[in-house]
Amino acid sequence: MDPGTQLPDKLLSRISIAKAELEAAPEVRVISHYDADGISSAGVLSNMLLRAGKHIHVTMTKSLTDKLISEVSAGCKTMVLSDMGSSHLEALEALDCKVIVLDHHSPQKDSEKVVHVNPHLAGIDGMTSASASAVCMLLAAHMDEKNWDLLPIAFAGIAGDRQAIRGLSGLNQWLYEEGLKRGVVEVRPGSMLPEGGLLNGLIGSTDPYVIGVSGSPEGAAALMAEAGIPANAEVERLDDAQRMKLSSLLALRLTAQGTPMSTLDEIVHERYHFPRWGMSADALAGLLNACGRSNHEGTGLALALGDAEAMETARALRQAYVDEVQASLQRVVKNGLIKAENIQYFYNDNLGLSGILSGVAMQYFGDRDKPTLALSDTGEEIKVSSRGTFELLDKGVDLAAALRECGQKVGGVGGGHRIASGATVPRGRDKEFLELVDKMVGEQKARKKDAS
Ligand code: C5P
């Protein structure tokens, strides 16, 4: 019999230490990232800690700074950081309290003092095979078997960090197998079509992003008419012929705009459905993401804690977010991307949207051979979001290293994952930064080419 996915002892032993620390703590200060994975992590941890009778105080933030670390640590005895912390170990080690880090970003080092739980340290790739929420879920499952009902929240983090699009692996796969045994998750076939109301779904879709259909009520209605589908159709009610016709038309449009087969395959990845929540991991990720991106992280957390009103608020935030993303994407398509030798970039005045805009441009209409960077001027500094593709990683590109090193060279900071990373650089130094990244990406590719 297939024994299923096994987890490395090194990961499990760190989880046991974290569990023991938390069991002994009456009060826990939680700091988490503000994106879908960060809110989902905070959601799993908060449910877990409240059930265990702990007093908690949760903060979600865009970025962890030494100043924030020192502020939140005042008077605190036990602190947990999720989806962040691995690149701040030195500052955390200097604190006078117990610190647990549950992160999945590439760590620069390990720690003797901090309980550092990071899948990379145990041979699991945190970029593809373990979201931060998955690490939190592993801890929650070890704290109490009853916490398996938190799996949908954890899966929103997996989906939010796009770790389900090429099939699950590593810790994510282990959680799925265990969830299946307990009947908390179902797998459903993937589809090119959105969930729910078709017209609205097509207009709001960024996965796939179809030029002339996404963001365009007229374009979406015309495409449905071409497929012989009435404007008020629900996706679940379509017959096979209608589904096939519409999916083929979408695939044709995508191919015509230069979207490669590999992206089309990713769009039709299997969906993880949670019967008790009545929604898929992608749908829940969409809600949490909209909360985080619109500075309503608290609503996302309340939703994860089961607040029905927060769910309604999140749905409204999601609609407003979708409208804003579509309007911004239309501007990026219209203005085009600026191409350097090895990268492509654009300036965007809506800071919170940089990640999604650069991701969609990279996946659906940009030059496949150049990582995409979105830059936003906050008035105080320039924030950068970069996205690559798996093909670019195969060619040697490492955006975490490029944005970290080039960010530092111009007096800023940067880091993240090889395929998705960010930086903050001083105003006026963005051009220099872009030149350095362009050069470094070229060097990364050349090094890989020489080695193979
Ligand atoms: O902001 P954005 O979504 O583009 O960030 C992509 C990734 O880079 C995230 O995982 C984020 O945590 C990371 N990042 C980082 N250091 C920064 C900015 C972003 O590690 N200064």
Side-chain angles (χ1 to χ4, degrees), residues 33-35 62-63 83-84 87 104-105 161 293 354-356 358 384-387 413-417 420-424:
H33 198 207
Y34 83 120
D35 69 0
K62 283 191 177 62
S63 57
D83 200 25
M84 44 185 26
S87 43
H104 70 137
H105 292 96
D161 265 12
R293 303 287 161 179
S354 285
I356 175 124
S358 62
V384 188
S385 267
S386 72
R387 298 292 184 268
V413 290
H417 303 288
S421 74
T424 304

Side-chain angles (χ1 to χ4, degrees), residues 257-277:
Q257 74 189 41
T259 307
M261 255 332 269
S262 56
T263 300
L264 266 59
D265 286 344
E266 285 174 7
I267 301 166
V268 295
H269 70 267
E270 288 179 327
R271 309 280 139 154
Y272 301 95
H273 185 82
F274 295 93
R276 280 198 51 206
W277 282 69

Side-chain angles (χ1 to χ4, degrees), residues 20-312:
E21 295 285 6
L22 290 175
E23 279 171 348
E27 285 169 21
V28 184
R29 189 73 173 87
V30 178
I31 316 292
S32 196
H33 198 207
Y34 83 120
D35 69 0
D37 190 24
I39 301 175
S40 137
S41 299
V44 170
L45 292 174
S46 301
N47 276 293
M48 171 192 94
L49 291 165
L50 289 172
R51 287 173 182 183
K54 312 293 175 186
H55 289 280
I56 60 169
H57 179 175
V58 184
T59 300
M60 284 161 285
T61 176
K62 283 191 177 62
S63 57
L64 194 60
T65 57
D66 289 353
K67 184 168 167 269
L68 180 70
I69 292 174
S70 85
E71 275 170 17
V72 295
S73 65
C76 139
K77 295 207 169 57
T78 306
M79 189 194 293
V80 181
L81 296 103
S82 50
D83 200 25
M84 44 185 26
S86 283
S87 43
H88 290 81
L89 291 172
E90 265 158 37
L92 296 169
E93 280 165 349
L95 298 179
D96 198 17
C97 65
K98 298 263 182 222
V99 181
I100 299 166
V101 169
L102 304 161
D103 198 0
H104 70 137
H105 292 96
S106 307
Q108 294 294 294
K109 60 174 217 144
D110 199 359
S111 177
E112 295 279 311
K113 192 174 172 217
V114 167
V115 182
H116 187 202
V117 191
N118 187 315
H120 285 284
L121 298 170
I124 295 177
D125 185 349
M127 181 185 79
T128 54
S129 315
S131 62
S133 62
V135 178
C136 296
M137 185 62 220
L138 179 63
L139 175 61
H142 277 72
M143 288 283 282
D144 193 330
E145 169 69 27
K146 290 198 191 89
N147 288 333
W148 275 104
D149 66 342
L150 304 177
L151 193 68
I153 305 168
F155 255 76
I158 295 173
D161 265 12
R162 300 177 67 82
Q163 294 197 357
I165 54 173
R166 294 180 128 200
L168 298 175
S169 54
L171 176 58
N172 300 335
Q173 171 68 14
W174 182 85
L175 290 174
Y176 167 69
E177 288 167 12
E178 295 297 314
L180 208 56
K181 280 183 211 163
R182 290 165 176 85
V184 284
V185 57
E186 284 172 6
V187 66
R188 294 191 175 173
S191 164
M192 193 76 91
L193 309 181
E195 293 178 44
L198 188 51
L199 182 61
N200 244 344
L202 288 173
I203 297 168
S205 175
T206 48
D207 252 326
Y209 181 75
V210 187
I211 295 174
V213 174
S214 304
S216 167
E218 307 76 32
L223 191 78
M224 284 173 67
E226 201 180 332
I229 298 173
N232 61 353
E234 291 279 320
V235 178
E236 287 70 25
R237 301 246 165 105
L238 297 181
D239 63 33
D240 285 351
Q242 288 173 319
R243 265 174 190 279
M244 198 107 82
K245 182 86 201 277
L246 187 57
S247 302
S248 310
L249 288 172
L250 286 168
L252 278 174
R253 295 283 189 107
L254 287 167
T255 312
Q257 74 189 41
T259 307
M261 255 332 269
S262 56
T263 300
L264 266 59
D265 286 344
E266 285 174 7
I267 301 166
V268 295
H269 70 267
E270 288 179 327
R271 309 280 139 154
Y272 301 95
H273 185 82
F274 295 93
R276 280 198 51 206
W277 282 69
M279 65 173 84
S280 69
D282 293 290
L284 187 50
L287 292 171
L288 296 185
N289 183 56
C291 292
R293 303 287 161 179
S294 57
N295 298 321
H296 290 81
E297 298 89 341
T299 301
L301 180 59
L303 183 168
L305 286 165
D307 185 316
E309 207 175 303
M311 178 63 90
E312 284 318 303

Side-chain angles (χ1 to χ4, degrees), residues 332 336-338 344-348 354 357-358 361 372-375:
V332 180
L337 304 173
I338 304 163
Q344 55 194 343
Y345 60 92
F346 59 93
Y347 283 84
N348 150 52
S354 285
L357 300 184
S358 62
T372 309
L373 283 77
L375 295 95

